[in-house]
Amino acid sequence: MTTTTPSDVRPDPPHSPDDRSLTAFGYRQELHRSLGRYASFAAGFSFISVLTTVFQFFAFGYAFGGPVFFWTWPAVLVGQLLVAACFAELAARYPISGAIYQWSSRLSNLTFGWFAGWIMVIGQIVVVAAAALALQLVLPAIWSGFQLIGTDSAVTSADGAANAAVLGVILLALTTLVNVLDNRVMSVINRVGVTAEIIGAILIVVLLLTHSERTPGITFHTEGAAQSGLFGALLVGSFAAAYVMIGFDSAGEMSEETHHPRRTAPRTILVALGAAGLLAMLIVLGGLLAAPSLTDGHLAVDGLSYVLTSSLGDGVGRVLLADVVVAIAVATLAIQTAACRMLFSMARDGQLPFSRRLAKVNPRTGMPSAPALVVGVLAAALLLLNFGSPEAFLAIGTTCIVMLYLAYAMVTGPLLVSRLRGRFTTDGTDETGARLFSLGRWGVPVNALALLYGLFMTVNLAWPRAAVYDPAGGHWYFQYFTVLFLGITIVLGVAYRAYKARTVVAPEAPEAVPV
Protein backbone atom coordinates (compact mmCIF):
# COMPACT_ATOMS: atom_id res chain seq x y z
CA MET A 1 0.00 0.00 0.00
CA THR A 2 1.38 3.41 -0.96
CA THR A 3 1.36 6.02 1.76
CA THR A 4 0.32 9.52 0.79
CA THR A 5 1.13 12.40 3.09
CA PRO A 6 0.13 16.03 2.75
CA SER A 7 3.62 16.91 1.51
CA ASP A 8 3.44 14.26 -1.23
CA VAL A 9 0.41 15.80 -2.90
CA ARG A 10 1.01 17.99 -5.91
CA PRO A 11 -1.76 20.59 -5.79
CA ASP A 12 -3.54 21.65 -8.93
CA PRO A 13 -3.25 25.35 -9.71
CA PRO A 14 -5.61 27.18 -7.35
CA HIS A 15 -8.70 28.72 -8.89
CA SER A 16 -10.11 30.67 -5.92
CA PRO A 17 -9.03 32.01 -2.52
CA ASP A 18 -10.80 29.02 -0.94
CA ASP A 19 -8.77 26.61 -3.07
CA ARG A 20 -5.53 28.41 -2.18
CA SER A 21 -6.44 27.99 1.50
CA LEU A 22 -6.54 24.23 0.97
CA THR A 23 -3.37 24.00 -1.12
CA ALA A 24 -1.54 25.76 1.70
CA PHE A 25 -2.09 22.58 3.73
CA GLY A 26 -0.71 20.40 0.94
CA TYR A 27 -4.00 19.17 -0.55
CA ARG A 28 -5.55 19.79 -3.94
CA GLN A 29 -9.19 20.74 -4.36
CA GLU A 30 -11.10 17.56 -5.32
CA LEU A 31 -14.42 17.88 -3.49
CA HIS A 32 -16.75 20.36 -5.15
CA ARG A 33 -16.91 23.65 -3.27
CA SER A 34 -20.58 24.53 -3.55
CA LEU A 35 -21.94 25.02 -0.01
CA GLY A 36 -22.97 28.44 1.24
CA ARG A 37 -23.61 29.64 4.78
CA TYR A 38 -27.05 28.06 5.15
CA ALA A 39 -25.86 24.76 3.70
CA SER A 40 -22.98 24.78 6.20
CA PHE A 41 -25.43 25.45 9.02
CA ALA A 42 -27.65 22.65 7.70
CA ALA A 43 -24.74 20.19 7.85
CA GLY A 44 -24.34 20.75 11.58
CA PHE A 45 -28.02 21.13 12.42
CA SER A 46 -29.09 18.04 10.49
CA PHE A 47 -26.46 15.89 12.25
CA ILE A 48 -27.83 17.08 15.60
CA SER A 49 -31.38 16.74 14.23
CA VAL A 50 -33.50 17.85 17.15
CA LEU A 51 -36.65 16.03 16.06
CA THR A 52 -34.82 12.75 15.45
CA THR A 53 -32.87 12.64 18.66
CA VAL A 54 -35.37 14.16 21.08
CA PHE A 55 -38.07 11.75 19.92
CA GLN A 56 -35.57 8.88 20.06
CA PHE A 57 -34.37 9.34 23.65
CA PHE A 58 -37.09 11.36 25.44
CA ALA A 59 -38.79 8.27 26.87
CA PHE A 60 -35.49 6.91 28.16
CA GLY A 61 -34.55 10.19 29.87
CA TYR A 62 -37.98 10.55 31.45
CA ALA A 63 -38.03 6.92 32.63
CA PHE A 64 -34.90 7.49 34.70
CA GLY A 65 -35.16 11.14 35.65
CA GLY A 66 -38.84 11.99 35.78
CA PRO A 67 -39.88 15.62 35.11
CA VAL A 68 -36.71 17.02 36.69
CA PHE A 69 -34.63 15.47 33.88
CA PHE A 70 -35.49 18.65 31.95
CA TRP A 71 -32.63 20.40 33.75
CA THR A 72 -30.05 18.07 32.26
CA TRP A 73 -30.69 19.76 28.91
CA PRO A 74 -29.39 23.28 29.73
CA ALA A 75 -26.48 21.70 31.65
CA VAL A 76 -25.40 19.61 28.65
CA LEU A 77 -25.95 22.53 26.27
CA VAL A 78 -23.58 24.74 28.28
CA GLY A 79 -20.96 21.98 28.35
CA GLN A 80 -21.20 21.36 24.62
CA LEU A 81 -21.07 25.09 23.84
CA LEU A 82 -17.68 25.16 25.61
CA VAL A 83 -16.50 22.37 23.29
CA ALA A 84 -18.06 24.04 20.24
CA ALA A 85 -16.28 27.33 21.02
CA CYS A 86 -12.93 25.48 20.92
CA PHE A 87 -13.93 23.77 17.68
CA ALA A 88 -14.92 27.11 16.15
CA GLU A 89 -11.39 28.39 16.70
CA LEU A 90 -9.93 25.29 15.07
CA ALA A 91 -12.38 25.38 12.13
CA ALA A 92 -11.13 28.89 11.33
CA ARG A 93 -7.50 27.76 11.33
CA TYR A 94 -7.80 24.29 9.79
CA PRO A 95 -10.64 24.32 7.21
CA ILE A 96 -10.06 20.70 6.18
CA SER A 97 -12.28 17.61 5.83
CA GLY A 98 -11.82 15.05 8.58
CA ALA A 99 -11.89 17.80 11.18
CA ILE A 100 -11.34 15.77 14.36
CA TYR A 101 -8.47 13.78 12.80
CA GLN A 102 -6.88 16.85 11.25
CA TRP A 103 -7.19 19.04 14.34
CA SER A 104 -5.91 16.43 16.77
CA SER A 105 -2.99 15.47 14.50
CA ARG A 106 -1.86 19.04 14.02
CA LEU A 107 -2.16 19.89 17.72
CA SER A 108 -0.38 16.75 18.97
CA ASN A 109 1.14 14.13 16.66
CA LEU A 110 0.00 11.86 13.86
CA THR A 111 -0.38 8.75 16.03
CA PHE A 112 -2.60 10.46 18.61
CA GLY A 113 -4.56 12.22 15.88
CA TRP A 114 -4.99 8.95 14.01
CA PHE A 115 -6.62 7.34 17.04
CA ALA A 116 -8.88 10.39 17.46
CA GLY A 117 -9.97 10.04 13.83
CA TRP A 118 -10.30 6.26 14.11
CA ILE A 119 -12.51 6.47 17.21
CA MET A 120 -14.50 9.30 15.65
CA VAL A 121 -15.22 7.54 12.36
CA ILE A 122 -16.24 4.30 14.10
CA GLY A 123 -18.45 6.36 16.39
CA GLN A 124 -19.99 8.13 13.39
CA ILE A 125 -20.82 4.78 11.79
CA VAL A 126 -22.55 3.74 15.02
CA VAL A 127 -24.44 7.07 15.06
CA VAL A 128 -25.65 6.39 11.51
CA ALA A 129 -27.08 3.08 12.68
CA ALA A 130 -28.64 4.65 15.78
CA ALA A 131 -30.27 7.43 13.73
CA ALA A 132 -31.73 4.95 11.24
CA LEU A 133 -33.29 2.99 14.12
CA ALA A 134 -35.30 6.08 15.10
CA LEU A 135 -37.81 5.42 12.30
CA GLN A 136 -39.37 2.73 14.49
CA LEU A 137 -40.40 5.36 17.03
CA VAL A 138 -42.39 7.30 14.45
CA LEU A 139 -43.53 5.36 11.37
CA PRO A 140 -45.74 2.74 13.15
CA ALA A 141 -47.33 5.61 15.12
CA ILE A 142 -48.32 7.21 11.79
CA TRP A 143 -49.64 4.02 10.20
CA SER A 144 -49.68 0.48 11.55
CA GLY A 145 -48.75 -0.81 8.09
CA PHE A 146 -45.17 0.30 8.76
CA GLN A 147 -44.95 -2.46 11.36
CA LEU A 148 -43.64 -5.03 8.91
CA ILE A 149 -42.67 -7.59 11.55
CA GLY A 150 -45.06 -8.72 14.28
CA THR A 151 -47.55 -6.44 16.02
CA ASP A 152 -45.75 -4.82 18.97
CA SER A 153 -44.17 -1.56 17.77
CA ALA A 154 -42.33 -0.72 21.03
CA VAL A 155 -38.58 -0.61 20.47
CA THR A 156 -38.13 -2.56 23.71
CA SER A 157 -40.05 -5.53 22.27
CA ALA A 158 -38.67 -8.26 20.00
CA ASP A 159 -41.08 -7.28 17.20
CA GLY A 160 -40.25 -3.60 17.48
CA ALA A 161 -36.50 -4.19 17.56
CA ALA A 162 -36.56 -6.40 14.46
CA ASN A 163 -38.85 -4.00 12.60
CA ALA A 164 -36.56 -1.10 13.50
CA ALA A 165 -33.67 -2.94 11.86
CA VAL A 166 -35.66 -3.52 8.65
CA LEU A 167 -36.79 0.11 8.38
CA GLY A 168 -33.25 1.26 9.18
CA VAL A 169 -31.67 -0.84 6.43
CA ILE A 170 -34.16 0.55 3.88
CA LEU A 171 -33.28 4.11 4.93
CA LEU A 172 -29.54 3.40 4.76
CA ALA A 173 -29.90 2.13 1.20
CA LEU A 174 -31.48 5.47 0.22
CA THR A 175 -28.97 7.68 2.05
CA THR A 176 -26.05 5.72 0.59
CA LEU A 177 -27.44 6.31 -2.89
CA VAL A 178 -27.68 10.07 -2.26
CA ASN A 179 -24.14 10.13 -0.88
CA VAL A 180 -22.92 8.63 -4.15
CA LEU A 181 -24.87 10.90 -6.50
CA ASP A 182 -23.69 14.52 -6.18
CA ASN A 183 -22.91 16.92 -3.34
CA ARG A 184 -25.34 19.43 -4.83
CA VAL A 185 -28.15 16.88 -4.57
CA MET A 186 -27.06 16.10 -1.02
CA SER A 187 -26.96 19.81 -0.17
CA VAL A 188 -30.44 20.48 -1.57
CA ILE A 189 -31.93 17.57 0.38
CA ASN A 190 -30.13 18.76 3.50
CA ARG A 191 -31.34 22.33 3.21
CA VAL A 192 -34.94 21.41 2.41
CA GLY A 193 -34.96 18.83 5.19
CA VAL A 194 -33.49 21.17 7.78
CA THR A 195 -35.93 23.92 6.83
CA ALA A 196 -38.82 21.48 7.22
CA GLU A 197 -37.40 20.29 10.53
CA ILE A 198 -37.04 23.80 11.94
CA ILE A 199 -40.58 24.73 10.89
CA GLY A 200 -41.90 21.47 12.31
CA ALA A 201 -39.99 21.89 15.58
CA ILE A 202 -41.33 25.42 16.06
CA LEU A 203 -44.88 24.23 15.34
CA ILE A 204 -44.49 21.37 17.82
CA VAL A 205 -43.24 23.76 20.50
CA VAL A 206 -46.08 26.24 19.93
CA LEU A 207 -48.79 23.56 19.84
CA LEU A 208 -47.49 21.74 22.90
CA LEU A 209 -47.17 24.93 24.92
CA THR A 210 -50.68 26.02 23.94
CA HIS A 211 -52.03 22.62 25.04
CA SER A 212 -50.35 22.67 28.43
CA GLU A 213 -51.94 20.65 31.22
CA ARG A 214 -49.65 21.96 33.96
CA THR A 215 -47.15 24.74 34.77
CA PRO A 216 -43.37 24.76 34.24
CA GLY A 217 -42.98 24.24 37.97
CA ILE A 218 -43.45 20.53 37.26
CA THR A 219 -39.82 20.43 36.10
CA PHE A 220 -38.73 20.72 39.74
CA HIS A 221 -40.69 17.61 40.77
CA THR A 222 -38.56 14.57 41.47
CA GLU A 223 -41.35 12.01 41.31
CA GLY A 224 -40.48 9.22 38.90
CA ALA A 225 -36.72 9.57 39.35
CA ALA A 226 -34.95 6.23 39.40
CA GLN A 227 -34.26 4.44 42.66
CA SER A 228 -30.57 5.34 42.47
CA GLY A 229 -31.35 8.77 43.92
CA LEU A 230 -31.85 12.14 42.30
CA PHE A 231 -28.23 12.74 41.30
CA GLY A 232 -27.85 9.25 39.86
CA ALA A 233 -31.14 9.63 38.01
CA LEU A 234 -30.00 12.91 36.47
CA LEU A 235 -26.69 11.39 35.40
CA VAL A 236 -28.58 8.71 33.48
CA GLY A 237 -31.25 11.16 32.33
CA SER A 238 -28.52 13.30 30.79
CA PHE A 239 -27.96 10.56 28.19
CA ALA A 240 -30.86 12.00 26.20
CA ALA A 241 -29.42 15.51 26.01
CA ALA A 242 -25.91 14.15 25.41
CA TYR A 243 -27.19 12.11 22.45
CA VAL A 244 -28.98 15.10 20.95
CA MET A 245 -26.15 17.64 21.15
CA ILE A 246 -23.40 15.93 19.16
CA GLY A 247 -22.33 16.41 15.56
CA PHE A 248 -22.07 20.20 15.52
CA ASP A 249 -18.53 19.71 14.20
CA SER A 250 -20.04 18.61 10.86
CA ALA A 251 -19.77 22.17 9.57
CA GLY A 252 -16.01 21.73 9.98
CA GLU A 253 -16.15 18.33 8.25
CA MET A 254 -17.64 20.04 5.19
CA SER A 255 -15.05 22.85 5.08
CA GLU A 256 -13.54 21.72 1.77
CA GLU A 257 -16.98 22.01 0.17
CA THR A 258 -17.87 25.37 1.75
CA HIS A 259 -17.29 28.85 0.35
CA HIS A 260 -15.21 31.03 2.74
CA PRO A 261 -14.85 28.21 5.29
CA ARG A 262 -12.58 30.14 7.69
CA ARG A 263 -15.35 32.67 8.18
CA THR A 264 -18.41 30.45 7.72
CA ALA A 265 -17.63 27.23 9.61
CA PRO A 266 -16.91 28.74 13.06
CA ARG A 267 -20.17 30.63 13.07
CA THR A 268 -22.29 27.78 11.79
CA ILE A 269 -20.80 25.39 14.38
CA LEU A 270 -21.97 27.66 17.20
CA VAL A 271 -25.27 28.67 15.63
CA ALA A 272 -26.24 25.09 14.77
CA LEU A 273 -25.59 23.88 18.32
CA GLY A 274 -27.22 26.90 19.95
CA ALA A 275 -30.36 26.73 17.81
CA ALA A 276 -30.68 22.96 18.16
CA GLY A 277 -30.12 23.05 21.91
CA LEU A 278 -32.72 25.77 22.46
CA LEU A 279 -35.32 24.01 20.30
CA ALA A 280 -34.63 20.71 22.06
CA MET A 281 -35.19 22.22 25.50
CA LEU A 282 -38.45 23.84 24.40
CA ILE A 283 -39.72 20.57 22.88
CA VAL A 284 -38.89 18.65 26.07
CA LEU A 285 -40.57 21.31 28.19
CA GLY A 286 -43.62 21.33 25.90
CA GLY A 287 -43.85 17.54 26.09
CA LEU A 288 -43.79 17.58 29.88
CA LEU A 289 -46.43 20.32 30.06
CA ALA A 290 -48.79 18.87 27.45
CA ALA A 291 -48.63 15.17 28.32
CA PRO A 292 -52.09 13.89 29.37
CA SER A 293 -50.47 12.17 32.34
CA LEU A 294 -47.02 12.00 33.86
CA THR A 295 -47.75 8.88 35.87
CA ASP A 296 -49.66 6.46 33.63
CA GLY A 297 -46.44 4.99 32.21
CA HIS A 298 -46.98 6.08 28.59
CA LEU A 299 -44.44 8.92 28.70
CA ALA A 300 -41.64 6.59 29.82
CA VAL A 301 -42.44 4.05 27.09
CA ASP A 302 -43.94 5.84 24.08
CA GLY A 303 -42.33 9.25 24.65
CA LEU A 304 -43.20 12.30 22.57
CA SER A 305 -45.06 10.37 19.86
CA TYR A 306 -47.65 9.56 22.53
CA VAL A 307 -47.87 13.23 23.56
CA LEU A 308 -48.40 14.49 20.00
CA THR A 309 -51.11 12.01 19.03
CA SER A 310 -52.94 12.12 22.37
CA SER A 311 -52.77 15.86 23.08
CA LEU A 312 -53.03 17.28 19.56
CA GLY A 313 -55.28 14.63 18.01
CA ASP A 314 -54.43 11.90 15.54
CA GLY A 315 -54.64 14.15 12.46
CA VAL A 316 -52.33 16.96 13.57
CA GLY A 317 -50.13 14.56 15.51
CA ARG A 318 -49.52 12.35 12.48
CA VAL A 319 -48.73 15.31 10.24
CA LEU A 320 -46.09 16.45 12.72
CA LEU A 321 -44.77 12.92 13.03
CA ALA A 322 -44.38 12.85 9.24
CA ASP A 323 -42.13 15.89 9.59
CA VAL A 324 -40.12 13.92 12.15
CA VAL A 325 -39.68 11.16 9.54
CA VAL A 326 -38.16 13.75 7.17
CA ALA A 327 -35.84 14.88 9.97
CA ILE A 328 -34.72 11.31 10.65
CA ALA A 329 -33.97 10.68 6.98
CA VAL A 330 -32.00 13.92 6.61
CA ALA A 331 -30.13 13.29 9.87
CA THR A 332 -29.09 9.82 8.73
CA LEU A 333 -27.91 11.32 5.43
CA ALA A 334 -25.92 14.09 7.14
CA ILE A 335 -24.25 11.76 9.65
CA GLN A 336 -23.29 9.34 6.89
CA THR A 337 -21.85 12.25 4.89
CA ALA A 338 -19.74 13.36 7.86
CA ALA A 339 -18.41 9.82 8.33
CA CYS A 340 -17.58 9.67 4.61
CA ARG A 341 -15.54 12.87 4.85
CA MET A 342 -13.60 11.49 7.83
CA LEU A 343 -12.79 8.28 5.94
CA PHE A 344 -11.81 10.30 2.87
CA SER A 345 -9.54 12.62 4.84
CA MET A 346 -7.70 9.81 6.63
CA ALA A 347 -7.42 7.75 3.44
CA ARG A 348 -6.05 10.73 1.52
CA ASP A 349 -3.14 10.72 3.96
CA GLY A 350 -2.70 6.98 3.42
CA GLN A 351 -3.81 6.22 6.97
CA LEU A 352 -6.41 3.49 6.35
CA PRO A 353 -6.60 0.09 4.65
CA PHE A 354 -7.48 0.45 0.94
CA SER A 355 -6.59 4.13 1.16
CA ARG A 356 -6.27 4.65 -2.60
CA ARG A 357 -9.82 3.46 -3.20
CA LEU A 358 -11.29 5.32 -0.23
CA ALA A 359 -9.58 8.57 -1.21
CA LYS A 360 -10.80 8.51 -4.81
CA VAL A 361 -13.21 11.31 -5.68
CA ASN A 362 -15.50 11.10 -8.67
CA PRO A 363 -14.57 14.22 -10.67
CA ARG A 364 -18.08 14.55 -12.07
CA THR A 365 -20.01 14.35 -8.79
CA GLY A 366 -17.35 15.60 -6.39
CA MET A 367 -18.23 12.72 -4.04
CA PRO A 368 -15.99 9.98 -2.58
CA SER A 369 -18.21 7.00 -3.42
CA ALA A 370 -16.30 4.18 -1.70
CA PRO A 371 -16.58 5.70 1.82
CA ALA A 372 -20.36 6.04 1.36
CA LEU A 373 -20.66 2.34 0.57
CA VAL A 374 -18.40 1.35 3.47
CA VAL A 375 -20.34 3.45 6.00
CA GLY A 376 -23.70 2.24 4.69
CA VAL A 377 -22.77 -1.44 4.80
CA LEU A 378 -21.15 -1.29 8.25
CA ALA A 379 -24.06 0.67 9.73
CA ALA A 380 -26.52 -1.84 8.26
CA ALA A 381 -24.49 -4.68 9.79
CA LEU A 382 -24.80 -3.03 13.20
CA LEU A 383 -28.57 -2.94 12.79
CA LEU A 384 -28.60 -6.73 12.70
CA LEU A 385 -27.88 -6.65 16.45
CA ASN A 386 -31.43 -5.43 16.88
CA PHE A 387 -32.71 -8.76 15.60
CA GLY A 388 -30.93 -10.47 18.47
CA SER A 389 -32.23 -8.39 21.36
CA PRO A 390 -34.19 -5.16 22.02
CA GLU A 391 -31.42 -4.05 24.41
CA ALA A 392 -29.24 -3.46 21.36
CA PHE A 393 -31.18 -0.23 20.66
CA LEU A 394 -29.88 1.44 23.82
CA ALA A 395 -26.44 -0.15 23.55
CA ILE A 396 -25.95 1.22 20.03
CA GLY A 397 -27.25 4.66 21.01
CA THR A 398 -25.07 5.14 24.09
CA THR A 399 -21.98 3.63 22.46
CA CYS A 400 -21.98 6.20 19.67
CA ILE A 401 -22.22 9.06 22.18
CA VAL A 402 -19.24 7.77 24.15
CA MET A 403 -17.15 7.37 20.99
CA LEU A 404 -17.82 10.95 19.88
CA TYR A 405 -17.32 12.45 23.34
CA LEU A 406 -13.97 10.69 23.66
CA ALA A 407 -12.89 11.83 20.20
CA TYR A 408 -13.87 15.41 21.11
CA ALA A 409 -11.73 15.19 24.27
CA MET A 410 -8.83 14.02 22.09
CA VAL A 411 -9.04 17.44 20.43
CA THR A 412 -9.74 19.71 23.40
CA GLY A 413 -6.96 18.00 25.40
CA PRO A 414 -4.11 18.68 22.92
CA LEU A 415 -5.55 22.13 22.27
CA LEU A 416 -5.30 22.98 25.98
CA VAL A 417 -1.71 21.72 26.12
CA SER A 418 -0.90 23.78 23.03
CA ARG A 419 -2.38 26.91 24.64
CA LEU A 420 -0.49 26.41 27.91
CA ARG A 421 2.77 25.97 26.01
CA GLY A 422 2.10 29.11 23.98
CA ARG A 423 2.00 27.24 20.66
CA PHE A 424 -1.59 28.06 19.72
CA THR A 425 -1.77 31.38 17.93
CA THR A 426 -4.88 33.54 17.77
CA ASP A 427 -3.50 35.60 14.88
CA GLY A 428 -4.63 35.42 11.28
CA THR A 429 -7.43 36.63 9.03
CA ASP A 430 -10.27 34.91 7.24
CA GLU A 431 -11.17 35.12 3.55
CA THR A 432 -12.67 38.61 3.99
CA GLY A 433 -9.65 40.02 5.81
CA ALA A 434 -11.35 40.00 9.21
CA ARG A 435 -9.63 38.50 12.23
CA LEU A 436 -10.14 34.77 12.73
CA PHE A 437 -12.64 33.68 15.35
CA SER A 438 -10.85 33.60 18.70
CA LEU A 439 -11.70 33.14 22.39
CA GLY A 440 -8.91 35.53 23.29
CA ARG A 441 -8.11 35.62 27.01
CA TRP A 442 -10.99 33.24 27.68
CA GLY A 443 -9.29 30.52 25.68
CA VAL A 444 -7.61 28.67 28.56
CA PRO A 445 -10.56 28.61 31.03
CA VAL A 446 -13.08 27.72 28.32
CA ASN A 447 -10.80 25.03 26.93
CA ALA A 448 -10.09 23.56 30.39
CA LEU A 449 -13.78 23.41 31.28
CA ALA A 450 -14.58 21.86 27.88
CA LEU A 451 -12.02 19.10 28.47
CA LEU A 452 -13.20 18.39 32.04
CA TYR A 453 -16.81 18.30 30.93
CA GLY A 454 -16.03 15.96 28.03
CA LEU A 455 -14.06 13.51 30.17
CA PHE A 456 -16.73 13.50 32.90
CA MET A 457 -19.50 12.79 30.41
CA THR A 458 -17.47 10.08 28.68
CA VAL A 459 -17.08 8.20 31.97
CA ASN A 460 -20.73 8.83 32.91
CA LEU A 461 -22.02 7.51 29.60
CA ALA A 462 -19.74 4.48 29.49
CA TRP A 463 -20.27 3.39 33.11
CA PRO A 464 -21.71 -0.18 32.91
CA ARG A 465 -24.91 0.31 34.92
CA ALA A 466 -26.87 -2.93 34.94
CA ALA A 467 -30.16 -1.07 35.55
CA VAL A 468 -29.59 0.88 32.35
CA TYR A 469 -28.00 -1.53 29.91
CA ASP A 470 -29.30 -4.88 31.12
CA PRO A 471 -32.53 -4.24 33.06
CA ALA A 472 -33.90 -7.72 32.36
CA GLY A 473 -30.65 -9.41 33.41
CA GLY A 474 -28.82 -12.26 31.73
CA HIS A 475 -27.09 -10.17 29.05
CA TRP A 476 -23.75 -9.15 30.57
CA TYR A 477 -22.43 -8.27 27.12
CA PHE A 478 -25.02 -5.51 26.79
CA GLN A 479 -24.15 -4.14 30.23
CA TYR A 480 -20.52 -3.84 29.14
CA PHE A 481 -21.26 -3.28 25.44
CA THR A 482 -19.93 0.28 25.31
CA VAL A 483 -16.71 -0.55 27.16
CA LEU A 484 -16.18 -3.70 25.09
CA PHE A 485 -16.90 -1.94 21.80
CA LEU A 486 -14.50 0.90 22.64
CA GLY A 487 -11.86 -1.62 23.74
CA ILE A 488 -12.20 -3.63 20.54
CA THR A 489 -11.99 -0.43 18.49
CA ILE A 490 -8.74 0.57 20.19
CA VAL A 491 -7.25 -2.94 19.92
CA LEU A 492 -8.05 -3.07 16.20
CA GLY A 493 -6.48 0.36 15.80
CA VAL A 494 -3.32 -0.70 17.63
CA ALA A 495 -3.11 -3.87 15.53
CA TYR A 496 -3.45 -1.95 12.27
CA ARG A 497 -0.91 0.68 13.32
CA ALA A 498 1.55 -2.08 14.28
CA TYR A 499 1.04 -3.81 10.93
CA LYS A 500 1.42 -0.53 9.06
CA ALA A 501 4.62 0.32 10.95
CA ARG A 502 6.20 -2.92 9.74
CA THR A 503 5.25 -2.38 6.11
CA VAL A 504 5.69 1.35 5.47
CA VAL A 505 7.65 4.26 6.85
CA ALA A 506 5.49 6.39 9.14
CA PRO A 507 4.90 9.88 7.73
CA GLU A 508 5.63 13.03 9.61
CA ALA A 509 2.82 14.61 11.62
CA PRO A 510 1.00 17.44 9.85
CA GLU A 511 2.40 20.85 10.57
CA ALA A 512 1.02 22.17 13.88
CA VAL A 513 1.29 25.86 13.07
CA PRO A 514 -1.96 27.35 11.63
CA VAL A 515 -1.76 28.79 8.16
Side-chain angles (χ1 to χ4, degrees), residues 424-487:
F424 185 74
T425 177
T426 58
D427 298 332
T429 57
D430 62 26
E431 297 87 355
T432 66
R435 286 180 58 84
L436 294 177
F437 176 87
S438 174
L439 292 174
R441 62 180 180 176
W442 293 99
V444 171
V446 168
N447 197 161
L449 289 172
L451 177 60
L452 290 174
Y453 161 79
L455 293 175
F456 171 79
M457 285 298 292
T458 299
V459 173
N460 176 42
L461 294 164
W463 199 265
R465 302 171 175 91
V468 176
Y469 297 111
D470 187 24
H475 299 89
W476 66 268
Y477 44 87
F478 278 125
Q479 180 180 346
Y480 293 93
F481 184 88
T482 297
V483 177
L484 290 171
F485 192 93
L486 178 58

Side-chain angles (χ1 to χ4, degrees), residues 264-331:
T264 301
R267 288 162 175 76
T268 52
I269 286 174
L270 292 168
V271 173
L273 176 59
L278 179 61
L279 277 175
M281 286 191 294
L282 291 174
I283 292 172
V284 170
L285 178 62
L288 292 172
L289 300 185
S293 172
L294 299 180
T295 58
D296 63 2
H298 280 293
L299 207 55
V301 175
D302 302 317
L304 285 174
S305 296
Y306 150 74
V307 178
L308 288 187
T309 54
S310 59
S311 298
L312 306 180
D314 281 347
V316 175
R318 286 175 178 170
V319 169
L320 293 173
L321 287 177
D323 189 62
V324 176
V325 172
V326 173
I328 292 171
V330 173

Side-chain angles (χ1 to χ4, degrees), residues 176-258:
T176 300
L177 177 62
V178 174
N179 262 305
V180 170
L181 289 177
D182 191 294
N183 76 336
R184 288 171 297 183
V185 174
M186 178 270 296
S187 176
V188 169
I189 293 174
N190 237 359
R191 282 178 287 160
V192 172
V194 164
T195 301
E197 180 173 5
I198 292 173
I199 293 172
I202 293 173
L203 282 175
I204 288 173
V205 169
V206 171
L207 289 172
L208 289 178
L209 292 179
T210 55
H211 287 75
S212 295
E213 299 285 342
R214 53 196 65 84
T215 67
I218 192 65
T219 59
F220 293 99
H221 290 202
T222 59
E223 293 86 352
Q227 64 272 16
S228 56
L230 178 60
F231 183 67
L234 290 177
L235 287 179
V236 177
S238 67
F239 286 23
Y243 181 74
V244 170
M245 288 179 252
I246 54 175
F248 45 85
D249 54 294
S250 291
E253 291 284 2
M254 305 299 289
S255 288
E256 291 184 30
E257 293 153 90
T258 303

Side-chain angles (χ1 to χ4, degrees), residues 105 259 283 356 445 466 511:
S105 296
H259 295 299
I283 292 172
R356 286 194 175 191
E511 175 59 46

